[in-house]
């Protein structure tokens, strides 16, 4: 089992460009999450999906959109990237709000 | 903010010593979890304690939870160099998780 996978691992964008971060899990979890981590800080929840077909805003949703494509996949889209979105992005999945399993992260730089 | 606050921000100890880090929070929780993050990697779950539990053990880890004080502590006993990492508490309030700012632990061989 691969657990939680994320693509890409690294990305550099120019201000105003768009991109989609991909996440997939093979643990049959209902819930999936997108976080961002800035230097010296904990993780902040961007969006989450409690089950297939539902998505909800987290703590810092502005500038992002998400799609729960199916039970396995949860993507995060930046429509018009800004330097403030430079961060490390983590995807996670869990079953019934217990232990979360995290992907390896995507390091995004917006110039 | 419902985010947890951890202290100390940084902790440096000798191998074999115990390490204690604390997490305080403001909201009601379903459970509280602790995670470890090695530099440049994703987070790894360590232990979960439910709101109706006061203490839990897992190997060299001991977690306590005081819901009246809205605080939790993580004790790592007999620390090893491999324990060097950042440690985060995570509050589960239902659908959402709120992470603390983390404690950076350095274990000196």
């Amino acid at each position: 089992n691969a657990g939680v996978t994320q693509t890409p691992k690294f990305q550099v964008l120019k201000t105003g460009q768009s991109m989609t971060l991909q996440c997939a899990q093979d643990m049959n979890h209902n819930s999936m999450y997108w976080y961002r981590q800035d230097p010296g800080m904990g993780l902040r929840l961007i969006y989450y999906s409690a089950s297939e077909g539902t998505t909800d805003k987290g703590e810092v949703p502005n500038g992002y959109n998400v799609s729960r494509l199916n039970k396995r996949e949860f993507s995060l889209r930046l429509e018009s990237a800004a330097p403030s979105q430079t961060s490390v992005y983590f995807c996670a999945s869990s079953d019934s709000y217990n232990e979360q399993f995290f992907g390896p992260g995507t390091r995004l730089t917006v110039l | 903010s419902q985010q947890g606050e951890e202290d100390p921000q940084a902790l440096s100890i000798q191998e074999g010593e115990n390490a204690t880090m604390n997490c305080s929070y403001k909201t009601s929780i379903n459970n509280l979890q602790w995670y470890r993050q090695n530099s440049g990697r994703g987070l790894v779950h360590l232990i979960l304690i439910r709101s109706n539990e006061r203490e839990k053990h897992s190997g060299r880890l001991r977690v306590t939870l005081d819901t009246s004080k809205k605080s939790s502590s993580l004790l790592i006993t007999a620390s090893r160099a491999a324990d060097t990492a950042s440690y985060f508490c995570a509050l589960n309030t239902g659908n959402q998780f709120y992470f603390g700012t983390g404690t950076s632990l350095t274990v000196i061989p």
Side-chain angles (χ1 to χ4, degrees), chain A residues 1 6 10-11 23 25 29-30 42 55-57 61 72 84 100-101 109:
Chain A
N1 289 348
Q6 292 183 235
F10 301 93
Q11 185 71 49
C23 174
Q25 52 95 6
H29 287 161
N30 287 317
T55 61
D56 286 286
K57 295 179 180 179
R72 289 188 63 249
S84 61
Q100 291 187 78
F101 292 82
T109 301

Side-chain angles (χ1 to χ4, degrees), chain A residues 6-13 19 21 37-39 85-90 104-110, chain B residues 37-42:
Chain A
Q6 292 183 235
T7 55
K9 291 185 178 179
F10 301 93
Q11 185 71 49
V12 179
L13 294 177
M19 78 163 294
L21 283 66
Q37 183 178 31
D38 299 302
Q85 294 178 304
T86 293
S87 190
V88 181
Y89 291 84
F90 289 99
T106 294
R107 295 183 179 277
L108 175 66
T109 301
V110 182
Chain B
Q37 184 179 36
N38 290 90
S39 181
R41 309 291 289 273

Side-chain angles (χ1 to χ4, degrees), chain A residues 40-81:
Chain A
M41 297 185 66
L43 277 68
R44 290 183 292 169
L45 183 64
I46 304 171
Y47 271 94
Y48 67 97
S49 171
S51 62
E52 186 178 355
T54 69
T55 61
D56 286 286
K57 295 179 180 179
E59 199 176 349
V60 288
N62 291 345
Y64 305 95
N65 285 301
V66 291
S67 295
R68 184 75 183 264
L69 304 170
N70 47 54
K71 192 170 187 179
R72 289 188 63 249
E73 299 173 287
F74 189 38
S75 63
L76 178 71
R77 183 160 178 83
L78 286 71
E79 291 291 351
S80 179

Side-chain angles (χ1 to χ4, degrees), chain B residues 40-59:
Chain B
R41 309 291 289 273
L43 279 72
V44 175
H45 182 265
L46 295 176
I47 194 167
L48 179 154
I49 186 165
R50 301 192 187 284
S51 60
N52 60 354
E53 297 176 314
R54 292 296 168 259
E55 187 170 315
K56 208 162 183 183
H57 297 255
S58 177

Side-chain angles (χ1 to χ4, degrees), chain B residues 24-35:
Chain B
S24 60
Y25 57 93
K26 299 175 184 176
T27 188
S28 297
I29 60 171
N30 290 340
N31 65 63
L32 187 147
Q33 302 175 30
W34 287 89
Y35 289 81

